[in-house]
Amino acid sequence: QLQLVESGGGSVQAGGSLRLSCASSASTTNLYCMAWFRQALGKGREGVAGIEGDGATVYADSVKGRFTISKDNAKNTLYLQMDGLKPEDTAMYYCAADPRAVDYCSDYARLDSRGGDFAYSGQGTQVIVSS
């Protein structure tokens, strides 16, 4: 059973930066699609960014130009670099992964709608951005 463990969350002021990490217990080379989701208090899950095995990425419009998703297969770790943080970015952030040849990461609309279909997901790390 693959395990995903997120870290790197915390409290920052608006305009600050955080880098989230998601460590996989198995090789990320075999994970066809990896992604970050977030859920704010009282709101539904929202897709943030996704990355396919070939490195292609997709982002929510709300984070484009501020967040960067990347993957280090040598460390079996997925990252989310978050710059220019805003109070509306406050949420629990989760990583998810799927080893199957799914198309969840091929475009943002698909990513956002298929969050519950990923084979594996982590427990989350909290991000709080104060104004």
Side-chain angles (χ1 to χ4, degrees):
Q1 179 79 0
L2 184 147
Q3 290 187 326
L4 301 172
V5 179
E6 302 94 336
S7 61
S11 296
V12 296
Q13 291 193 321
S17 298
L18 285 173
R19 187 175 81 155
L20 305 183
S21 298
C22 172
S24 170
S25 62
S27 172
T28 53
T29 302
N30 299 323
L31 295 174
Y32 192 81
C33 171
M34 297 189 77
W36 288 97
F37 292 85
R38 67 186 180 186
Q39 187 163 14
L41 197 63
K43 296 187 177 181
R45 180 182 52 231
E46 176 189 23
V48 177
I51 185 167
E52 290 189 315
D54 63 359
T57 58
V58 294
Y59 294 92
D61 285 344
S62 60
V63 308
K64 277 181 184 175
R66 299 189 298 122
F67 291 10
T68 304
I69 188 171
S70 63
K71 187 172 67 163
D72 187 336
N73 289 331
K75 296 182 178 180
N76 295 327
T77 302
L78 177 73
Y79 299 101
L80 185 68
Q81 177 65 42
M82 306 188 295
D83 299 316
L85 282 161
K86 303 176 180 180
E88 51 264 43
D89 295 318
T90 295
M92 183 71 79
Y93 284 71
Y94 304 87
C95 67
D98 209 307
R100 300 169 295 177
V102 296
D103 61 356
Y104 303 163
C105 291
S106 61
D107 64 69
Y108 177 71
R110 197 160 286 146
L111 176 71
D112 192 48
S113 67
R114 301 305 291 266
D117 296 326
F118 277 76
Y120 305 101
S121 61
Q123 293 299 308
T125 185
Q126 181 70 47
V127 171
I128 300 172
V129 185
S130 57
S131 57

